Amino acid sequence: MSNPTPYSDFIQQMPKLNNEFTDDSFLQDYLNIYFPADALKAIMPDLTQFGKRVANEFIDWARDAEVNKPQLIQFDAWGKRVDEIKVSQGWLNLERVACEDGLVAIGYERLYGEHSRLYQFVKLYLYTASSAIYTCPLAMTDGAARLIEVYGNDFLKEHAYKGLTSRNPATFKTSGQWMTERTGGSDVSRSMTFAMPDGDDYILKGHKWFASAITANMAFTLASTEQPEKGKRAPLSLFYLPIRHKDGTLNGIEVEVLKDKLGTRALPTAQLMLTGVQAKLVGEKGRGVKTIATLFNITRIYNTVSAVSYLRRAYSLSKAYSSQREAFGKKIENHLLHQKSLRELEIAYQSNTMLALFLSRLLGREECNTASVSEKSLLRLLTPVAKLYTAKQAIKYASEHIEMFGGIGYLEDSGIPAMLRDVQTLSIWEGTTNVLSLDMLRAAEKESGLEAFKEFAYKLLAEITSPELVKQKEVVQQRIDILFGFIENLKSHDAMIAASRDIAFYIAETAIAILWLDFLKKNGPKANYLNTLDYWIQYKMNESSLHASEILNLA
């Protein structure tokens, strides 16, 4: 150009992250309250090095895994069926570091007792958004380890559990979880997979529609051992199976196709034909759904932590970009509306993280036998509630995150749209919002979940005595009373079902408000956190939302 403008050579710089642990002051404040001081001092170097790495090479590995998607090679050059899955080097690197850094092992080493789960899930919170969703196979691996710990026999504890909880890449094993079939996703009772006795073991034949992490070493799956009687569905049992034999050939499995998905493209998800899988019964015959619940309660907490990991990443990247990007004569961080958008994103990530990390603490207490009966019921109620709520929040703010980058946020090669595509699975995997709302009702009805929530709420509120928090405490108390008054006045079970989704959202937002009060009580009413709570109680826990199904004439 003969007369270049002052901006002719301008190139916008990509935002860079520094250290996702040390830059997260909220996370550090949280750990200072809820993690024992001596133990926190011991793990700080690990969290610091990990926070640095997730902001650097992990992102490069994740991008490699995203761009170089898994490939299925069904036949070799001579026509032999091999069903080999090729994955990127970035994916393999993410697996190795997950093993070496103990992203599953920490929860079972239990060096810090009931606090070990909090330590583990903090690392997963740092890792997920830089992992190309490698957290998915880790979730199923962790769930499998816990299932074996509770129900496994000596064989499983020797041949599976040790590998699942190893920090040695040479011995580390991952697990799949195969439940979805053509006949139904969440309705697993319509299974078309049948298990026939074979000595002490079983031979499985059938079909699996979604099998995530098909490159795993083993899987747990449901199958029927009986033909259904007329008008009845056959009970399902749970089975363990190695995916490949010792010689590397598949264990009676044909990989029909790798799924072409909206997101989680680095994750190899397969459609399988089971032609004669050698498998072992786990737990009691006919009690498979109840048994595998131990596994998917873990994976639902992973789902929750994954959602808040993405919320945090959306905030940190948007904030970094706002300090670089200039528009209308000043950095966009200095524009009031952009400040409002960033602040709302900050409130979302911190508030949802509050709920996710509370679940990890409850899980740690349950596994170390320090949880009360009421706390166990509370965990059972809040697990589906937190999973459904945080997933929806992650989807909402991943979209906002794209918008905060403007046009470049819409470009695939920027890497930014991947977050929105990936988080969309969080509201589907391990139960859709509606399915989880019904699961919340089961926890309420069968495991006294609502009574446990009421006890939790009133106990924590009774401990709030700070004058700076009296007004907020009174508002939260009123919102809790509204919730239980509404539930008590429902006229039928159908009315409860129709309102269950809105009740679940209300419980999530109320739980978060209570947890903010507890946090502020122990941390001191810092202005920014107090402002967050004031915002939360003003704009969340909307009483009118509870009456939506009534207005729609659904019950």
Side-chain angles (χ1 to χ4, degrees), residues 500-514:
S500 61
R501 181 174 171 134
D502 299 315
I503 291 171
F505 276 75
Y506 196 100
I507 287 175
E509 292 177 349
T510 306
I512 288 169
I514 296 165

Side-chain angles (χ1 to χ4, degrees), residues 151-162:
Y151 293 104
N153 56 21
D154 291 341
F155 174 87
L156 288 178
K157 289 177 179 177
E158 178 64 29
H159 292 88
Y161 178 83
K162 288 183 178 180

Side-chain angles (χ1 to χ4, degrees), residues 179-240:
M179 295 176 67
T180 305
E181 302 192 9
R182 285 200 304 263
T183 48
S186 297
D187 185 5
V188 295
S189 63
R190 301 179 66 202
S191 174
M192 55 192 289
T193 302
F194 193 75
M196 297 162 285
D198 182 40
D200 294 333
D201 298 328
Y202 287 82
I203 298 295
L204 274 53
K205 293 186 178 181
H207 194 266
K208 296 296 175 179
W209 186 245
F210 275 104
S212 289
I214 185 57
T215 52
N217 304 90
M218 66 190 77
F220 288 83
T221 191
L222 295 172
S224 175
T225 58
E226 305 169 24
Q227 294 291 347
E229 298 178 10
K230 188 175 182 180
K232 295 183 179 180
R233 294 174 177 176
L236 297 175
S237 299
L238 179 64
F239 295 89
Y240 156 86

Side-chain angles (χ1 to χ4, degrees), residues 280-542:
K280 293 182 179 294
L281 178 69
V282 180
E284 186 179 344
K285 186 188 293 187
R287 304 276 288 175
V289 175
K290 180 177 175 57
T291 306
I292 204 170
T294 299
L295 190 159
F296 64 65
N297 283 334
I298 297 291
T299 56
R300 285 174 176 175
I301 296 175
Y302 267 76
N303 203 99
T304 300
V305 173
S306 295
V308 300
S309 177
Y310 282 112
L311 281 166
R312 164 63 194 179
R313 184 59 54 84
Y315 172 73
S316 57
L317 282 173
S318 296
K319 190 172 187 295
Y321 185 63
S322 71
S323 67
Q324 296 177 0
R325 182 66 170 172
E326 185 177 309
F328 306 107
K330 56 185 176 182
K331 297 290 176 61
I332 60 175
E333 67 180 358
N334 295 320
H335 287 278
L336 285 174
L337 280 178
H338 196 82
Q339 290 174 8
K340 180 176 182 289
S341 296
L342 269 178
R343 182 72 179 106
E344 289 177 337
L345 181 48
E346 180 182 41
I347 289 171
Y349 107 72
Q350 292 178 351
S351 299
N352 284 270
T353 299
M354 190 80 75
L355 181 58
L357 296 184
F358 178 65
L359 275 190
S360 75
R361 288 161 51 206
L362 282 178
L363 178 65
R365 289 181 61 79
E366 181 188 56
E367 292 179 344
C368 290
N369 299 314
T370 57
S372 66
V373 172
S374 180
E375 286 175 322
K376 292 177 182 178
S377 296
L378 180 63
L379 176 62
R380 176 68 182 89
L381 179 88
L382 288 183
T383 295
V385 167
K387 189 273 188 190
L388 69 86
Y389 185 80
T390 57
K392 285 294 190 182
Q393 293 289 292
I395 294 167
K396 173 183 176 180
Y397 285 102
S399 178
E400 187 75 10
H401 171 56
I402 288 176
E403 187 175 342
M404 291 174 84
F405 274 81
I408 200 167
Y410 197 66
L411 300 179
E412 280 287 356
D413 57 357
S414 73
I416 296 167
M419 181 186 294
L420 180 59
R421 290 189 282 100
D422 287 350
V423 298
Q424 187 64 59
T425 194
L426 299 177
S427 66
I428 300 170
W429 190 57
E430 298 299 26
T432 62
T433 307
N434 288 345
V435 166
L436 289 168
S437 298
L438 296 176
D439 191 48
M440 175 203 68
L441 289 189
R442 282 190 288 273
E445 295 166 359
K446 296 183 178 181
E447 301 187 47
S448 304
L450 288 175
E451 289 82 354
F453 182 70
K454 183 183 289 187
E455 180 183 331
F456 151 76
Y458 290 158
K459 179 179 181 294
L460 262 62
L461 288 175
E463 297 172 356
I464 305 299
T465 57
S466 171
E468 296 94 334
L469 298 173
V470 168
K471 180 182 71 173
Q472 292 87 348
K473 171 185 173 179
E474 289 176 352
V475 174
V476 174
Q477 177 72 67
Q478 291 169 3
R479 302 296 169 81
I480 294 169
D481 293 342
I482 286 169
L483 170 66
F484 285 102
F486 172 79
I487 292 172
E488 289 170 7
N489 289 323
L490 289 172
K491 295 181 173 59
S492 67
H493 185 63
D494 280 351
M496 185 73 164
I497 290 174
S500 61
R501 181 174 171 134
D502 299 315
I503 291 171
F505 276 75
Y506 196 100
I507 287 175
E509 292 177 349
T510 306
I512 288 169
I514 296 165
L515 293 170
W516 268 118
L517 281 167
D518 186 64
F519 177 83
L520 285 164
K521 175 195 74 175
K522 296 174 179 177
N523 198 48
K526 293 183 179 179
N528 205 44
Y529 293 145
L530 190 59
N531 175 256
T532 295
L533 176 59
D534 288 338
Y535 176 94
W536 196 264
I537 63 178
Q538 179 68 36
Y539 296 107
K540 306 294 181 178
M541 300 175 287
N542 186 348

Side-chain angles (χ1 to χ4, degrees), residues 120-139:
Q120 175 198 9
F121 279 110
V122 165
K123 290 193 77 170
L124 285 160
Y125 160 85
L126 296 171
Y127 172 82
T128 299
S130 297
S131 76
I133 212 80
Y134 194 83
T135 314
C136 173
L138 294 180

